[in-house]
Amino acid sequence: MARHRSPAPRGDDDTGPHGGVPTALAIVHPGLEDLLLDELVALGVDARPSEGGIAFAATPEALAQVHAWSWIAGEVRVRLGRARASSLDELATGVRALPWSRYVHPHQPVEVEISSHGSRLRRGPAVERKVALAIGDALRGPRIAGGRAPREPVRVHVRVVDDRATLSIDASGDRLHRRGWRTDAARAPLRENLAAAVLVAAGWKPGERLVDPMCGSGTFPIEAARRAAGLPPRTGWTHAFERWPGHDPKPLKKALSRRPAAVPTPILGADRDARALTASTANARRAGVDKGMTLLQAALAELDPPASTGLLVANPPYGKRVAPAADIERTWSAYGRVIAERWLGWRVAVVAPDPRLLGRIHPEMRVVLRFVHGGIPVVVGRLDSR
Ligand SMILES: C[S@@+](CC[C@H](N)C(=O)[O-])C[C@H]1O[C@@H](n2cnc3c(N)ncnc32)[C@H](O)[C@@H]1O
């Protein structure tokens, strides 16, 4: 991205609580922070860049809004506080002092994940057990009445740097890219939140025609169709914060009831592979948007462009996993020729494993996004309509 916003300086204590409200951190793949920040601000959340993600005050309303409507966030954690951690005992003392009863039910299982830099306390079962036991100790005090402990574990993250630990609790439950509809995956599917970010970086908005000629499991068309229909990113989902003791369901209900208006948007997904079509069709049905798009089996070279232009978005095989590497430059040059000859007037966005391959699509493709996908660093190129 052209812009770069620096994270808050280290001295700026994001750990919270601020005025009694702890700080939440929305986490996303490195490279997508600016897009996530813009998205959260547009959602009315008072968000700002912070180390490791985008920070905001973890009010029930903001947590509800982000979980209901963020397409790009990968997960959200609430920072509970800091503890000195020059020894295991010191860490346990600090952990016991944090307000666990707001987030964990007595007897609820706790999963502890440690990361450690420059500390004697290393990631491993000894530290995890000590932290889990300290949380159990903290929960022996007065309780918030009502309810039995959920069976789902609470995930606690401990980040130890030198002799200080920062403790956060997972608010999302599962990774937010899991939307609930993609159970049929074609080969090398793109994570749903990455696909959503690519659409934003490509300048796509509901109302603009969209074609993905290599749709695989249908991620781009389905993400676009749900947005165009005013549907939230996820379906059938219980977030971790909904299980917190004393959780009030009203803010989330209210956030979900404020749906954007549906915007009629022609969406077409195609793939030359019959299995990809089976997968994308089943996924679109599960996502409730199969009537909002056309899916068909065709190779790029055979696909007739619709009469009016829009965005052509594609995540072609990288060669590393899906096609033989030796052929890849030739293959991408062939895609470029088809696009130049048949898709005149279209804006084009392509996910590629390196900028050279983008040049095979068109020499004027400019890189608008970089991130790591399935362990492979990728770039997103954009070519505005010619
Ligand atoms: C990396 S996968 C796309 C994954 C997709 N974005 C997803 O999230 O599931 C690439 C897809 O391109 C398809 N493909 C490869 N060459 C093609 C061509 N010439 N025409 C149409 N589809 C093609 C493959 O069948 C495969 O499904």
Side-chain angles (χ1 to χ4, degrees):
M1 304 238 18
R3 291 165 305 148
H4 178 74
R5 298 178 177 98
S6 320
R10 269 173 165 258
D12 174 354
D13 189 348
D14 269 338
T15 315
H18 298 296
V21 180
T23 298
L25 193 70
I27 299 169
V28 73
H29 281 63
L32 304 187
E33 296 90 343
D34 284 347
L35 290 180
L36 176 60
L37 177 63
D38 289 347
E39 181 189 58
L40 298 193
V41 169
L43 288 173
V45 176
D46 186 10
R48 67 206 152 84
S50 176
E51 214 185 325
I54 304 299
F56 59 94
T59 60
E61 291 73 22
L63 281 176
Q65 181 75 342
V66 171
H67 283 93
W69 293 110
S70 173
W71 296 85
I72 297 176
E75 62 175 302
V76 178
R77 298 176 186 174
V78 172
R79 289 168 169 173
L80 297 194
R82 286 196 169 144
R84 296 200 72 82
S86 55
S87 69
L88 255 187
D89 285 337
E90 195 179 41
L91 174 61
T93 305
V95 168
R96 279 193 288 270
L98 296 174
W100 297 103
S101 62
R102 287 190 215 152
Y103 305 98
V104 189
H105 297 257
H107 310 301
Q108 184 173 10
V110 173
E111 274 175 12
V112 180
E113 215 173 82
I114 316 266
S115 70
S116 164
H117 307 275
S119 165
R120 282 193 304 124
L121 302 187
R122 297 245 174 265
R123 191 177 154 185
V127 185
E128 289 165 16
R129 200 166 43 245
K130 191 81 174 177
V131 172
L133 287 173
I135 295 171
D137 289 347
L139 292 171
R140 284 205 193 104
R143 318 238 140 111
I144 294 173
R148 279 196 298 165
R151 272 173 299 146
E152 293 81 1
V154 166
R155 217 174 303 134
V156 172
H157 300 271
V158 185
R159 182 162 183 265
V160 188
V161 179
D162 303 326
D163 61 352
R164 303 279 287 176
T166 305
L167 286 104
S168 313
I169 196 149
D170 167 48
S172 302
D174 206 341
R175 298 289 186 267
L176 293 174
H177 72 86
R178 302 216 173 97
R179 310 300 207 202
W181 51 256
R182 194 165 79 184
T183 51
D184 286 60
R187 287 183 294 178
L190 196 58
R191 276 197 181 187
E192 297 84 333
N193 64 327
L194 300 180
V198 170
L199 291 178
V200 174
W204 180 86
K205 289 198 177 68
E208 184 184 26
R209 184 185 286 280
L210 180 122
V211 174
D212 176 355
M214 301 182 182
C215 71
S217 43
T219 316
F220 283 128
I222 295 172
E223 287 288 299
R226 282 190 65 91
R227 275 194 58 190
L231 293 169
R234 285 161 286 280
T235 59
W237 189 272
T238 305
H239 305 97
F241 75 89
E242 294 177 69
R243 299 192 195 99
W244 291 348
H247 167 72
D248 175 4
K250 284 195 287 298
L252 185 58
K253 257 196 184 149
K254 195 166 166 197
L256 285 168
S257 71
R258 285 191 300 248
R259 277 169 57 163
V263 184
T265 306
I267 294 174
L268 169 66
D271 202 291
R272 67 176 178 192
D273 178 16
R275 278 165 309 173
L277 253 290
T278 308
S280 54
T281 305
N283 287 332
R285 196 171 308 125
R286 245 187 315 276
V289 289
D290 49 320
K291 304 218 165 34
M293 67 175 70
T294 307
L295 293 169
L296 51 89
Q297 189 180 351
L300 172 67
E302 297 157 3
L303 188 64
D304 288 327
S308 64
T309 58
L311 173 70
L312 181 146
V313 63
N315 170 210
Y318 298 164
K320 298 199 160 94
R321 290 188 296 195
V322 191
D327 291 346
I328 203 71
E329 298 231 352
R330 214 159 5 104
T331 308
W332 280 56
S333 300
Y335 300 152
R337 277 195 299 278
V338 172
I339 290 170
E341 284 163 16
R342 307 198 64 196
W343 296 79
L344 260 180
W346 286 70
R347 199 163 74 265
V348 179
V350 176
V351 184
D354 76 59
R356 247 181 8 157
L357 280 181
L358 284 181
R360 297 281 171 172
I361 301 281
H362 195 282
E364 282 161 32
M365 278 241 152
R366 66 192 164 91
V367 173
V368 289
L369 207 57
R370 290 171 190 274
F371 55 82
V372 176
H373 168 226
I376 302 170
V378 299
V379 290
V380 178
R382 172 172 163 174
L383 177 67
D384 287 321
S385 37
R386 301 132 284 150

